[in-house]
Amino acid sequence: GSDFNMQNYNSTTMNQGEKKSAAQLCEAILRSVWNLEIKYTSGMREPSNVPTMPAAQHLPPQIRIGRIGSIGGSGGNPMVEYLSAVRHDDEGKAKEKYGDDHYDYIDNEFSDTAGSAVSMSSHGSGERIIPWSPKDQRRYDKSLVLFNAVLAAYAKLSSSASGVRQEVRRDMVQNAERLLLEVAANKVTAGAHFEPSPSTILQCLQPDVISFNTTMKALSEWAPRQKWNEEDRSNEDPSMGTATAERTESILEVMQDLCDEERKSRTTLQSMQAAWKEQGYGDGRAEKHAPPPSYRAIAPDTSSYNIVLKAWSRSSDPDDALRALKLYQTMIHRSNVACLAKDSLILQHSEPSERKSYNRVGDAFPDSRTFVVLLQSLQNLSVSIGFRDAVDIVESIFYSMKQRDEQIKWSADNARLKDRGSKILNIFSYNTLIKTLSKLPTNSWEESHQCCLRIDDIIEEMKCSTSPNAVMQCLPNAIMAWTKCAEEAGKDKERVRLCADKTGAHIDALINSMQPNGGNDNFSANNIIRAVNNSIALCGRAGMPSKADELFAKAKECNTYNLETLSTVIDALCENGLEDIAHVEQANKYLTIFEQDKMRMSRTTVPDMKFTAMYNSVISGYLNCDTKKIGLEQAHALLAHMVSSHESNPRHIARPNTTSFARVMSALSHRGDNTKRLEELLSKMEALHQRRNNVPTSSRDAELVANVAPNIVVYNLLLKSYARSNDDEALQSAMKLLGRMESRPDVKPDDISNSYILALLSRKDGADANGTTSSSENQKLINPSLTSLDIDSLNIDDLNLNLDDLNLNGQNQVPTSKSFKSIMNVYATTGTLEGAEKGAELIRKLEEMHSSGEIGFKPDIFLYNKQMNAWSLCERNNNDESISPAGKAQEILDSICEKYEGGEEELSPNDVSFSVCIHAWTKSNLPDAADRAEQLLRRKEAFAKKNCSNVQIKSTDYNSVISKFKDDKPLTGPERATLLFEEMLQKYGSSEDQTKPTASTLNALLDVYAKCYKRNLADKAHGYLNRMNQSHKEGKGSILPDVISYRSVIDAWIRQWHKDSPQKVDGLVKEMIEKYEHEGRTDLRPDSNSLNLVLKACSHAPAMWEETNSTEKGDDNPIAIANRVFSTLKGKNEYGATPTHATYSFMFHIYRQHMNFRDQRYPPLMRTLWKHCCRDGLVSQFSLDSFRDSVLEHHFWEAIGGEERFERLGITREDIRISDLPKEWSRNVTEKIKAKASRPRN
């Protein structure tokens, strides 16, 4: 498969050093042979069959090279002389017997020989065809072998397992397919009655079954096997696997077409004789010559279908499973037809007493490989058709496999087959069947449990029909199925324990059948070890640590364990440390023995993260055990052992990482005052981190250094300990630590860090008279709240706060505002009135401290903007009518503007100052909020004219004010929004900066139109949409309407409740589709939501069923529009739009609104629509309520399974929730929608 350097030294026309693959060289050799001239035949013909050649036409002696060509006899060539001597020696006797005229001359032009029936003219003696001898047949077969070898070379390079680049593999596949179709096309060119002559063996070559199978195999293995991910289907592109499988099946169809074409050209007698010969019998006539190859049909065999089925199994698209199943059904049908024909043929040619058994050599008869690949392709079947139907299909295939075995056995017993061959139900098919059942995607634990029980039944059946060795090799997959079932159980301990018991029974049977200390060659060691690991892990989850320890001991006895087994049993024991610390001690014992053995066996060991993970697991086990104090000491001791071992020997396997320190430090911060120990551990982490930074990454020692790096979590743990500590120096230590954090580029204080600092600042008020802290106050320090901070008590002297410590810059002897900005950020992001008030108090206190000279800085514009933003965020959840957060924000803005005008230029308001206040008023619920927002906008414009450097009008300011007008009076809001929009177009329509109107500006106006219930606003919104589109098309405007613009206009039409709304909305969606298809507007690509809006408009339109002329509307009728959109969603479309739960909800509303319920078509139509909704898994509470309101009561009960079942549970018709229905009906409804729709029963 390597690339060879193809150089032609005899020709200057070819590029020197041209790279070609080995397969391309094979094809080049084949084509060089293909085009050689055939000047002579080998003679040995009957004199009457060989045409004569005039003496004048004899050519100079040439050298015959087999039957594929000749080399001219030019003098001076030693090779020519040697071959010439051989020729004369070999042909002497033939000339003596037959004469010189027994050499045939044929023109070598390929186009002539391929189109003229390969005839020879002997100057008046008539047209004669050279007979086809058995020797010619052998040469033809050898030529076919050459051709298949070239295809095999391409197939090897095209496989995804070859390691070749994907683009190279794609070229190899295309070359193989091109060569096959090129050769296969020769048959069509030659004509139906063409019989090849020996002179055109290669030129008239036809591919056989191997040729097609080789090419199909290359195609099927080109795309790597894809895995289905039910949670995120976008991880892999299923179209690659689907396209590859489709292309492979198309080759099979070409093969079948050639076979059918060949059979059509034969008579019935010829077809029977050909089929009879395929079984090794004669045709009743003595023949000297073999039949020409054109009589041999290219019929797909078992391997042909298996290859295509394998291609479908490699695809991850669930719908491809149905296509594989359809191909299997086609294979069965053709096999049955072939069997009937051959049975008839046997009856006609043999007496009952002399009837011979035969093999189905040429049949496409399913074998075990057929069912293996078919079952593999069905592993994603339940995603598309539902779990129950998928299980039924798998069961039917299993039944078919058993029936096939019985048929083969009967045929062999009754002399209908020469031998039974291999059974279809063997170890491979059983294993695949078990894997398929275990991998069927399920929606609940009950479904997964049902699959596992069926797998156990299959294991029991195997014990009666297969060898014990086969049963043992299937047990690992059964264990894997029960492990997956346990994952479906979640936190249900009883179900997990049930799965663990089932797994334990299988693993006991597997281990008991093995020989101790190895000698298990009949088993797959990797599968057994994986099964042991899964069983141990499951026992750990089920709270059965003793059973996990017992399995590990048995695995060691049988030598079927590895490092992962040790890691798994350590995890299982440590996971149950809460039950008894002895389990953790046992895990630590296993780890100690492993450490000693590992360090004794090899002194050049490189530490691995797998080793560190085991130590971390034991540390976690100690920290979570039943004796907290002893466990903490043991965990701390183990961490100390890891640190000391690593420092003394960098190759020691006990190498700590950041997680090792973080787990111990987290426990220390929660249990008592362990500040000193935390400081020591943090210092050790920083030392190890510095050591790592000092080692170059290219050095050999880089892989030996511990991966330890203090992060924000570790620093916050120490800050938390300071906040809990009663030490008077805790605040000073915390501020120093805060300075270290600020000085590091990779660690920056976050909101949690600031919360602990605030808790330290407020601790003075939380202490009681004894200097201690109560339990309630201590809880406040652990989770500091804003109520714990009294800013009035914040005094540098009272808090014993050293100014050097507060100065994080380390240059001045006074603190800077940097220390308080992060604290202010905590207040600004709370979104509560309390947080905003505390922020205001902090600013006021800082202003007082600056005035008194206690600090050398005063609040800057950043702190004021943060405070205004804190008030702005309060507007969303403000329920106190006595407080106006927007007014508070404007008071701050008025204050800093006054100070700026008074000469404090450092407090110049900027863009953020005005924008935050404007946005605050747009969120306010006060009646004059829209007026106040517009006044601030005018004020900002005036200020921008005076100070252009700091303040600039932006389109977002206009957008906010325009959008606010939807809350204004219905009679004036839309007009005011329109005037402001037109003003912005006139002022800034031609600008190129941030002031330029955008699509968001248009969307704000259209949103006002859509949210106001004033009549005729939909027409106005539609007019603005068309105007902006036309203006942008002519290059006169900067606003290009986007998808939000269209949906706003659609929303406006829907809210109008107008009879023409469905037509208008349908026209807007069609306009989006047209722009997407013809203008390349990908943002306007219609999706499910866009098409659902059409259905929503139809459901909101006035009822049409009572109108006498409703039928005259034709395609504009709401039902006709809805049916057309629903068909688009249900069928395949280029937009990828599919039905949603809202689709069915709107359809139920539409039929209820516009169709007479007395119409006899109404009940069956609603039932059919409900069945589609259930089959698609889109039954949400919305669609369920819509269906319930659209049908009569008895029809509703009938659709959901009957009233009796719900009466026993005490559930009425109005109380039914989707949780009461089969989960499969709502499998495609997102959890967010399910949670949103859930509500308590009446």
Side-chain angles (χ1 to χ4, degrees):
S2 303
D3 290 344
F4 291 94
N5 197 4
M6 180 68 176
Q7 296 187 7
N8 189 335
Y9 294 100
N10 298 327
S11 175
T12 58
T13 59
M14 296 187 64
N15 296 327
Q16 296 292 328
E18 180 184 357
K19 286 284 187 178
K20 286 191 176 182
S21 66
Q24 290 171 321
L25 293 180
C26 288
E27 183 181 354
I29 294 173
L30 176 67
R31 290 190 178 276
S32 67
V33 174
W34 194 324
N35 297 326
L36 283 179
E37 300 175 356
I38 301 180
K39 299 296 184 182
Y40 296 95
T41 62
S42 62
M44 301 299 292
R45 300 287 192 270
E46 294 297 332
S48 60
N49 294 334
V50 181
T52 60
M53 182 182 298
Q57 295 293 330
H58 282 301
L59 296 177
Q62 296 201 8
I63 303 164
R64 184 173 64 256
I65 305 179
R67 289 297 294 255
I68 59 175
S70 60
I71 299 177
S74 59
N77 190 326
M79 180 61 69
V80 172
E81 295 176 359
Y82 171 77
L83 293 177
S84 178
V86 174
R87 167 184 173 276
H88 288 298
D89 184 52
D90 291 341
E91 296 177 353
K93 297 180 181 179
K95 288 183 179 181
E96 293 178 0
K97 183 174 182 180
Y98 299 106
D100 294 337
D101 293 335
H102 284 211
Y103 292 91
D104 308 324
Y105 170 79
I106 300 177
D107 194 359
N108 67 312
E109 289 296 329
F110 174 76
S111 59
D112 295 340
T113 57
S116 60
V118 202
S119 61
M120 291 179 52
S121 177
S122 58
H123 299 277
S125 61
E127 188 177 81
R128 298 178 181 178
I129 302 298
I130 298 179
W132 187 273
S133 68
K135 188 174 182 180
D136 296 325
Q137 181 66 48
R138 290 195 300 272
R139 286 171 174 161
Y140 176 87
D141 294 339
K142 290 181 180 180
S143 303
L144 192 57
V145 169
L146 291 178
F147 173 69
N148 290 339
V150 178
L151 295 178
Y154 279 124
K156 258 200 150 181
L157 280 179
S158 63
S159 173
S160 58
S162 64
V164 184
R165 299 188 310 274
Q166 184 175 4
E167 57 271 17
V168 176
R169 293 191 289 106
R170 182 178 61 249
D171 293 341
M172 297 299 104
V173 169
Q174 292 174 349
N175 287 337
E177 186 180 9
R178 169 189 52 77
L179 185 60
L180 175 71
L181 297 180
E182 177 186 349
V183 174
N186 289 338
K187 183 173 184 179
V188 180
T189 306
H193 303 287
F194 171 67
E195 296 183 0
S197 168
S199 62
T200 57
I201 291 177
L202 282 173
Q203 295 171 344
C204 297
L205 187 69
Q206 283 296 298
D208 61 355
V209 177
I210 298 176
S211 310
F212 281 91
N213 289 352
T214 304
T215 306
M216 289 191 295
K217 189 173 185 295
L219 276 168
S220 65
E221 295 181 352
W222 172 71
R225 184 178 296 276
Q226 297 173 316
K227 295 182 179 180
W228 167 254
N229 187 356
E230 188 174 5
E231 296 180 357
D232 185 8
R233 191 171 177 175
S234 63
N235 282 347
E236 291 186 0
D237 182 14
S239 60
M240 177 184 294
T242 302
T244 303
E246 288 176 346
R247 193 62 180 166
T248 307
E249 188 168 354
S250 67
I251 299 295
L252 178 65
E253 292 173 356
V254 171
M255 187 179 182
Q256 188 62 57
D257 290 343
L258 291 175
C259 177
D260 294 341
E261 179 186 355
E262 180 66 32
R263 288 175 175 172
K264 288 178 182 178
S265 64
R266 297 177 182 172
T267 63
T268 303
L269 179 60
Q270 288 175 329
S271 298
M272 295 177 66
Q273 290 174 351
W276 185 254
K277 289 181 180 179
E278 288 180 6
Q279 304 304 322
Y281 304 103
D283 59 358
R285 298 179 299 172
E287 287 192 12
K288 179 179 179 182
H289 305 299
S294 59
Y295 285 177
R296 185 177 300 172
I298 306 173
D301 58 4
T302 302
S303 297
S304 308
Y305 284 95
N306 290 351
I307 291 170
V308 182
L309 287 173
K310 184 178 180 181
W312 285 119
S313 69
R314 295 168 73 92
S315 173
S316 63
D317 190 346
D319 295 334
D320 291 345
L322 299 176
R323 303 175 73 172
L325 193 61
K326 182 178 180 181
L327 178 64
Y328 166 73
Q329 293 170 347
T330 302
M331 179 184 183
I332 293 297
H333 172 71
R334 291 187 177 275
S335 174
N336 292 337
V337 171
C339 288
L340 291 173
K342 290 189 176 180
D343 287 345
S344 174
L345 193 63
I346 292 174
L347 293 175
Q348 292 183 23
H349 285 76
S350 302
E351 295 295 332
S353 59
E354 299 177 355
R355 184 177 301 169
K356 298 181 180 180
S357 61
Y358 64 92
N359 281 330
R360 294 182 173 93
V361 178
D363 291 345
F365 191 81
D367 59 3
S368 62
R369 289 182 294 272
T370 306
F371 290 97
V372 166
V373 292
L374 177 62
L375 289 171
Q376 288 175 351
S377 66
L378 298 181
Q379 291 176 3
N380 297 326
L381 190 58
S382 63
V383 176
S384 57
I385 68 170
F387 173 77
R388 298 175 183 174
D389 292 339
V391 173
D392 290 342
I393 291 176
V394 174
E395 288 284 1
S396 65
I397 292 176
F398 180 42
Y399 177 77
S400 177
M401 294 165 71
K402 292 191 289 187
Q403 290 294 103
R404 290 284 171 179
D405 273 343
E406 293 176 3
Q407 292 171 6
I408 293 175
K409 181 178 181 300
W410 181 89
S411 299
D413 293 342
N414 291 272
R416 302 299 298 274
L417 290 174
K418 291 183 179 178
D419 57 75
R420 296 185 181 182
S422 58
K423 295 180 63 176
I424 290 179
L425 276 172
N426 53 29
I427 183 174
F428 301 105
S429 52
Y430 270 120
N431 255 328
T432 308
L433 176 64
I434 293 174
K435 287 181 181 179
T436 302
L437 287 172
S438 65
K439 291 183 178 181
L440 287 178
T442 56
N443 298 312
S444 63
W445 180 84
E446 289 78 8
E447 293 177 351
S448 182
H449 184 245
Q450 178 183 345
C451 289
C452 292
L453 292 178
R454 186 67 185 101
I455 289 173
D456 285 353
D457 294 340
I458 293 173
I459 296 292
E460 293 299 323
E461 292 180 23
M462 291 180 63
K463 294 179 181 179
C464 301
S465 59
T466 60
S467 64
N469 180 43
V471 176
M472 292 302 105
Q473 293 196 45
C474 291
L475 285 178
N477 289 320
I479 294 172
M480 181 66 71
W482 280 108
T483 303
K484 181 185 175 184
C485 183
E487 294 175 356
E488 294 283 350
K491 297 182 179 180
D492 192 330
K493 283 289 185 181
E494 292 299 326
R495 291 179 174 179
V496 174
R497 187 178 291 271
L498 172 64
C499 297
D501 291 338
K502 293 288 187 178
T503 304
H506 287 316
I507 203 66
D508 286 341
L510 182 62
I511 293 180
N512 293 335
S513 64
M514 300 170 59
Q515 302 176 12
N517 301 322
N520 303 294
D521 296 335
N522 294 331
F523 298 96
S524 176
N526 292 333
N527 290 337
I528 295 176
I529 292 176
R530 190 181 301 113
V532 171
N533 296 346
N534 291 333
S535 300
I536 293 175
L538 189 53
C539 289
R541 282 190 57 199
M544 304 164 59
S546 300
K547 180 64 175 178
D549 194 14
E550 179 184 348
L551 288 177
F552 180 67
K554 290 183 178 180
K556 289 183 66 176
E557 291 179 4
C558 298
N559 197 25
T560 55
Y561 74 104
N562 55 13
L563 179 63
E564 185 180 354
T565 312
L566 175 63
S567 176
T568 305
V569 74
I570 288 176
D571 290 341
L573 293 172
C574 294
E575 187 178 356
N576 294 273
L578 185 61
E579 176 184 336
D580 190 352
I581 194 175
H583 299 314
V584 187
E585 294 289 354
Q586 181 67 17
N588 193 18
K589 179 181 178 182
Y590 285 142
L591 183 59
T592 303
I593 295 174
F594 173 74
E595 176 186 319
Q596 294 173 354
D597 294 341
K598 192 71 175 178
M599 299 308 298
R600 182 177 60 254
M601 288 187 300
S602 175
R603 298 187 179 276
T604 59
T605 302
V606 176
D608 192 274
M609 289 300 298
K610 296 177 182 178
F611 306 147
T612 304
M614 290 190 289
Y615 284 94
N616 291 344
S617 181
V618 176
I619 289 175
S620 298
Y622 277 126
L623 296 176
N624 298 324
C625 67
D626 55 339
T627 55
K628 301 294 184 182
K629 186 175 181 180
I630 297 177
L632 178 59
E633 295 301 326
Q634 292 286 1
H636 189 269
L638 183 57
L639 177 61
H641 166 70
M642 295 174 67
V643 173
S644 61
S645 299
H646 174 68
E647 291 180 338
S648 60
N649 180 13
R651 294 188 177 274
H652 201 282
I653 65 173
R655 182 179 64 177
N657 61 4
T658 304
T659 305
S660 311
F661 283 91
R663 290 179 178 176
V664 176
M665 294 177 69
S666 177
L668 289 172
S669 66
H670 282 86
R671 304 174 189 176
D673 189 359
N674 297 295
T675 306
K676 297 299 181 183
R677 300 170 76 175
L678 286 170
E679 290 176 343
E680 292 174 359
L681 289 176
L682 181 59
S683 299
K684 181 61 68 177
M685 290 185 70
E686 291 177 335
L688 292 174
H689 180 62
Q690 184 63 35
R691 179 181 175 185
R692 181 179 182 85
N693 292 337
N694 294 336
V695 177
T697 55
S698 58
S699 174
R700 293 183 178 180
D701 296 336
E703 61 183 3
L704 303 178
V705 183
N707 185 19
V708 176
N711 52 27
I712 187 63
V713 175
V714 174
Y715 282 104
N716 286 343
L717 289 174
L718 183 52
L719 286 175
K720 181 178 181 179
S721 181
Y722 286 139
R724 294 169 55 92
S725 174
N726 295 323
D727 189 0
D728 295 337
E729 301 295 329
L731 179 60
Q732 300 287 346
S733 301
M735 298 306 295
K736 291 180 180 179
L737 180 62
L738 189 63
R740 287 159 59 186
M741 296 169 64
E742 297 257 357
S743 63
R744 290 191 56 181
D746 55 336
V747 177
K748 294 299 178 184
D750 58 3
D751 293 343
I752 298 177
S753 312
N754 298 328
S755 299
Y756 293 133
I757 295 295
L758 291 175
L760 283 166
L761 293 174
S762 62
R763 193 174 54 185
K764 179 175 181 295
D765 293 334
D768 58 16
N770 297 326
T772 59
T773 306
S774 63
S775 60
S776 60
E777 293 297 330
N778 191 38
Q779 186 65 26
K780 288 182 179 181
L781 295 180
I782 297 175
N783 299 300
S785 63
L786 296 170
T787 58
S788 64
L789 180 60
D790 186 1
I791 300 297
D792 290 329
S793 65
L794 181 61
N795 188 282
I796 300 295
D797 297 330
D798 294 342
L799 291 174
N800 296 319
L801 197 62
N802 192 331
L803 298 183
D804 293 338
D805 295 335
L806 269 181
N807 176 28
L808 301 183
N809 293 333
Q811 297 177 355
N812 303 320
Q813 293 301 315
V814 292
T816 65
S817 61
K818 186 176 183 181
S819 305
F820 294 94
K821 285 182 179 179
S822 57
I823 299 175
M824 187 66 185
N825 189 59
V826 176
Y827 292 133
T829 56
T830 58
T832 61
L833 289 173
E834 188 178 15
E837 290 171 351
K838 291 298 181 180
E841 293 177 5
L842 176 62
I843 290 181
R844 179 177 53 82
K845 185 64 179 178
L846 291 176
E847 290 176 340
E848 294 177 359
M849 294 173 67
H850 174 262
S851 300
S852 62
E854 296 182 60
I855 57 176
F857 67 93
K858 60 182 177 180
D860 55 9
I861 194 63
F862 173 84
L863 288 175
Y864 286 111
N865 288 345
K866 280 290 183 181
Q867 180 58 33
M868 285 189 287
N869 186 55
W871 287 116
S872 177
L873 293 176
C874 294
E875 279 290 359
R876 296 179 179 176
N877 303 316
N878 181 31
N879 297 321
D880 191 350
E881 297 181 355
S882 62
I883 298 178
S884 172
K888 295 285 187 181
Q890 185 162 350
E891 289 178 4
I892 299 175
L893 178 63
D894 295 341
S895 174
I896 60 177
C897 286
E898 182 180 352
K899 291 179 181 179
Y900 171 73
E901 293 174 355
E904 299 183 26
E905 296 184 356
E906 66 275 6
L907 290 180
S908 172
N910 54 22
D911 275 334
V912 177
S913 308
F914 285 98
S915 296
V916 167
C917 284
I918 292 174
H919 289 301
W921 281 115
T922 58
K923 300 172 188 174
S924 175
N925 295 324
L926 294 179
D928 61 340
D931 297 332
R932 301 290 293 272
E934 187 176 10
Q935 291 172 7
L936 266 180
L937 177 63
R938 304 304 181 189
R939 184 177 174 184
K940 183 178 182 180
E941 287 181 325
F943 197 89
K945 294 179 180 179
K946 300 178 181 179
N947 192 348
C948 298
S949 59
N950 290 340
V951 180
Q952 184 181 8
I953 297 297
K954 296 181 179 179
S955 61
T956 53
D957 299 323
Y958 272 90
N959 299 348
S960 300
V961 178
I962 292 174
S963 180
K964 181 59 180 176
F965 284 130
K966 68 176 176 289
D967 299 330
D968 200 11
K969 298 178 181 179
L971 297 178
T972 60
E975 285 76 6
R976 295 179 66 183
T978 305
L979 290 175
L980 191 58
F981 178 77
E982 292 291 346
E983 176 188 339
M984 188 179 182
L985 288 180
Q986 184 178 0
K987 284 184 178 180
Y988 310 108
S990 60
S991 62
E992 296 295 336
D993 53 15
Q994 297 180 356
T995 316
K996 179 175 62 176
T998 62
S1000 299
T1001 311
L1002 174 64
N1003 295 340
L1005 176 64
L1006 297 179
D1007 185 58
V1008 174
Y1009 290 154
K1011 297 298 172 54
C1012 295
Y1013 290 93
K1014 185 178 178 181
R1015 304 294 294 180
N1016 300 325
L1017 285 181
D1019 274 326
K1020 199 168 184 178
H1022 206 154
Y1024 264 105
L1025 179 70
N1026 294 335
R1027 173 185 165 187
M1028 294 299 106
N1029 272 324
Q1030 185 64 26
S1031 178
H1032 187 275
K1033 184 178 180 180
E1034 295 174 355
K1036 298 179 181 180
S1038 60
I1039 299 178
L1040 178 63
D1042 56 12
V1043 64
I1044 299 178
S1045 310
Y1046 279 90
R1047 291 192 177 183
S1048 297
V1049 179
I1050 289 173
D1051 195 25
W1053 277 115
I1054 293 175
R1055 289 171 179 266
Q1056 290 293 306
W1057 291 78
H1058 196 274
K1059 64 179 182 179
D1060 293 333
S1061 294
Q1063 297 93 299
K1064 296 292 186 180
V1065 174
D1066 189 33
L1068 285 169
V1069 173
K1070 288 180 179 178
E1071 182 179 339
M1072 293 172 63
I1073 294 175
E1074 182 180 358
K1075 290 183 177 294
Y1076 164 70
E1077 293 178 345
H1078 297 92
E1079 299 180 12
R1081 292 286 302 278
T1082 56
D1083 60 315
L1084 297 181
R1085 177 178 180 175
D1087 56 6
S1088 300
N1089 293 330
S1090 302
L1091 297 174
N1092 282 343
L1093 289 175
V1094 182
L1095 300 179
K1096 185 177 181 181
C1098 294
S1099 67
H1100 283 61
M1104 304 291 294
W1105 64 275
E1106 292 182 345
E1107 295 189 11
T1108 56
N1109 60 343
S1110 61
T1111 57
E1112 298 177 0
K1113 283 184 162 295
D1115 293 340
D1116 291 337
N1117 187 284
I1119 293 181
I1121 295 175
N1123 287 339
R1124 186 170 62 251
V1125 174
F1126 184 71
S1127 299
T1128 302
L1129 287 169
K1130 285 289 288 182
K1132 289 188 176 181
N1133 54 77
E1134 58 179 307
Y1135 323 118
T1138 57
T1140 66
H1141 74 105
T1143 304
Y1144 286 100
S1145 302
F1146 292 138
M1147 290 300 296
F1148 290 135
H1149 278 295
I1150 291 167
Y1151 288 131
R1152 177 191 176 191
Q1153 182 82 352
H1154 303 292
M1155 193 172 181
N1156 193 340
F1157 69 93
R1158 295 187 180 89
D1159 192 331
Q1160 60 181 357
R1161 297 172 298 173
Y1162 185 79
L1165 179 63
M1166 300 301 286
R1167 283 197 299 269
T1168 302
L1169 192 60
W1170 172 254
K1171 289 180 180 179
H1172 278 277
C1173 184
C1174 298
R1175 188 181 300 118
D1176 292 343
L1178 294 173
V1179 178
S1180 66
Q1181 196 64 43
F1182 183 24
S1183 56
L1184 176 63
D1185 293 341
S1186 302
F1187 176 70
R1188 176 169 43 206
D1189 297 338
S1190 303
V1191 296
L1192 298 177
E1193 183 174 356
H1194 67 279
H1195 288 156
F1196 176 75
W1197 287 120
E1198 179 184 353
I1200 65 173
E1203 184 178 2
E1204 295 77 9
R1205 182 169 67 91
F1206 294 96
E1207 281 185 347
R1208 290 195 298 267
L1209 300 175
I1211 302 176
T1212 63
R1213 178 173 179 264
E1214 289 73 18
D1215 290 339
I1216 291 179
R1217 303 289 178 263
I1218 58 174
S1219 57
D1220 303 324
L1221 303 177
K1223 293 183 178 180
E1224 188 176 317
W1225 290 4
S1226 58
R1227 65 182 183 276
N1228 292 325
V1229 179
T1230 61
E1231 294 297 330
K1232 183 178 180 180
I1233 295 176
K1234 292 179 182 178
K1236 184 177 180 181
S1238 62
R1239 61 179 186 273
R1241 303 184 192 276
N1242 295 329

